[in-house]
Amino acid sequence: MKKIFAILMLGVMAVVPALAQSSSKLTATKASEYGLIYTLPLTAFEVTIAVEKTVNTPGDYYQYARKYLNTDPIMQPSTKWRIVETVVNPIAYADEESRYLATFKGGAGTFMMVSDSNFPLSVNDESYNPDPALTPLPKAVAAKPTILQTPAAQQAVTPEMIQSKSSAKRAELAADKIYELRNNRNEIITGQADAMPSDGAAMKLALDQIAAQEEALTAMFLGTVQTSVEVRTYTVYLPDGPDGGRMVVARLSAAEGLVEADDLSGDPIYVEITPVSRGELPVNEKGVQKTFPKGGVAYRIPGSAWVSVKFDGKTLTEKEFDVAQYGVVFGLDPDLFTNKREPAYLHFNPLTGGVRELGTK
């Protein structure tokens, strides 16, 4: 089955996780004619993008900010989006048309650990932990309430402000309250308040309440800024052909943030895949390619590719990865794993089917 250079939201199509969720044991027995069947994985990539959303909201008294606070306020409501982090991690998926049979001698009890997707994890070693080291993913962050959405804002509003029908008068009263709070704070700090807090804890509580009310009243003039972080993960498959390629993985819209690749309301976020090396079959002392051993344990000699994510002419992240599709398949002599004196063990790379470690028990 041919693989096109496709981009999918994670979850739209079943993709094998990069980490082995669980494993099972296949043992070469007479019932299976001492053969073990498994599938070598192919490589795809998960591209995770974190975008920060910033919502600017003018305060009710923004027109009076220069007059009373001598500060420039937020004048217009706005929403801005920016990419704050991108992460690329390899994942494995099955090529159901490429299965392999390894055949062993009887009586040796040779076994293979495989993943839920029948990818090989190890031969003759149940203790091997195949989990690859992946880059940690960014976390979504919900927007916190602004100071005007907290009880401090209600506490800061005086009865006179509530009763006044003039916004100019309410702004004047709010400014007076700000300066009153600042004066009260100074009196507490200097010990000149008429009713001083009884101890350090009470003083901290009083100062915190004053600070929160002042912040709320100030926000009525200057406005509020509210930020949050959204995270989405996309699955990218390699293009057909030997030369890699570039595609739009998603778009960043000024109004909606991350949108689908075909939504032209946003600017494109590209993923580029560039082959770096190709796996080669091993050769003997004379430089002649070795032949696949009969009944051999198939493994992948992967190639590699440079994967980069770009937006607005800038590279957001780039890294070189092993890639199964740019490699070749070879095999290990099955007799290695049935030697009675020193049976071999084998650790696979769960993302490519390559060899991580080969040794004797």
Side-chain angles (χ1 to χ4, degrees):
M1 181 174 63
K2 295 183 71 177
K3 302 296 187 300
I4 61 172
F5 197 13
I7 170 64
L8 298 171
M9 279 292 296
L10 185 62
V12 174
M13 179 176 179
V15 177
V16 178
L19 300 177
Q21 299 296 323
S22 61
S23 60
S24 56
K25 183 177 181 180
L26 304 179
T27 303
T29 64
K30 185 177 181 180
S32 64
E33 297 183 352
Y34 303 105
L36 301 177
I37 299 174
Y38 57 94
T39 304
L40 290 179
L42 296 177
T43 304
F45 296 97
E46 285 183 350
V47 179
T48 300
I49 304 173
V51 291
E52 182 184 71
K53 179 183 180 182
T54 302
V55 179
N56 294 311
T57 305
D60 290 342
Y61 311 136
Y62 73 93
Q63 296 166 297
Y64 308 97
R66 291 291 302 171
K67 178 179 180 180
Y68 292 115
L69 302 183
N70 195 30
T71 305
D72 292 326
I74 296 171
M75 301 293 291
Q76 297 288 338
S78 66
T79 300
K80 297 180 180 179
W81 298 84
R82 70 184 183 97
I83 299 173
V84 292
E85 187 175 358
T86 56
V87 171
V88 178
N89 278 317
I91 59 171
Y93 71 96
D95 182 355
E96 296 299 341
E97 297 180 357
S98 299
R99 295 189 178 185
Y100 299 90
L101 169 66
T103 305
F104 303 94
K105 293 179 180 178
T110 306
F111 65 89
M112 176 182 290
M113 304 300 296
V114 297
S115 70
D116 290 341
S117 301
N118 203 38
F119 298 155
L121 303 177
S122 67
V123 177
N124 287 344
D125 188 354
E126 289 188 67
S127 63
Y128 169 57
N129 179 9
D131 288 354
L134 301 178
T135 303
L137 299 181
K139 297 187 181 298
V141 179
K144 295 180 180 179
T146 69
I147 188 64
L148 294 180
Q149 296 169 326
T150 65
Q154 298 176 349
Q155 297 166 4
V157 175
T158 65
E160 292 80 4
M161 292 170 62
I162 296 174
Q163 295 168 4
S164 177
K165 296 182 180 180
S166 167
S167 61
K169 183 60 176 179
R170 290 196 298 272
E172 180 183 354
L173 293 170
D176 290 342
K177 181 68 174 180
I178 289 174
Y179 292 112
E180 178 187 334
L181 289 169
R182 291 176 180 177
N183 184 61
N184 291 343
R185 178 173 59 239
N186 290 335
E187 288 182 348
I188 292 174
I189 292 174
T190 59
Q192 297 176 359
D194 292 336
M196 286 293 296
S198 58
D199 55 26
M203 177 180 288
K204 182 180 184 305
L205 178 61
L207 292 176
D208 287 346
Q209 291 176 342
I210 289 173
Q213 291 185 35
E214 181 184 348
E215 182 182 355
L217 289 166
T218 301
M220 295 176 189
F221 289 91
L222 303 186
T224 59
V225 178
Q226 198 172 31
T227 61
S228 58
V229 177
E230 296 182 9
V231 178
R232 294 188 189 180
T233 296
Y234 305 85
T235 300
V236 177
Y237 293 92
L238 270 66
D240 286 332
D243 299 324
R246 183 177 84 158
M247 68 163 302
V248 178
V249 66
R251 292 177 182 267
L252 184 65
S253 164
E256 301 295 333
L258 285 173
V259 296
E260 297 302 316
D262 58 358
D263 187 337
L264 300 183
S265 68
D267 296 324
I269 303 170
Y270 293 102
V271 172
E272 292 185 1
I273 299 178
T274 305
V276 175
S277 65
R278 307 281 177 174
E280 297 180 352
L281 293 171
V283 296
N284 59 23
E285 302 81 11
K286 297 181 179 180
V288 178
Q289 286 185 352
K290 294 181 178 180
T291 57
F292 195 101
K294 183 179 180 180
V297 178
Y299 67 94
R300 186 95 59 181
I301 303 172
S304 63
W306 197 255
V307 181
S308 58
V309 181
K310 298 184 178 182
F311 176 71
D312 194 24
K314 299 178 181 178
T315 300
L316 304 179
T317 187
E318 55 184 356
K319 189 176 180 180
E320 186 175 337
F321 296 93
D322 287 340
V323 175
Q325 290 90 317
Y326 296 154
V328 293
V329 175
F330 195 62
L332 294 171
D333 189 336
D335 289 346
L336 291 171
F337 305 96
T338 57
N339 185 299
K340 293 183 178 180
R341 290 188 176 182
E342 293 184 325
Y345 67 87
L346 175 63
H347 295 168
F348 286 91
N349 182 327
L351 296 176
T352 64
V355 173
R356 272 188 177 171
E357 184 177 338
L358 174 65
T360 55
K361 302 177 70 172

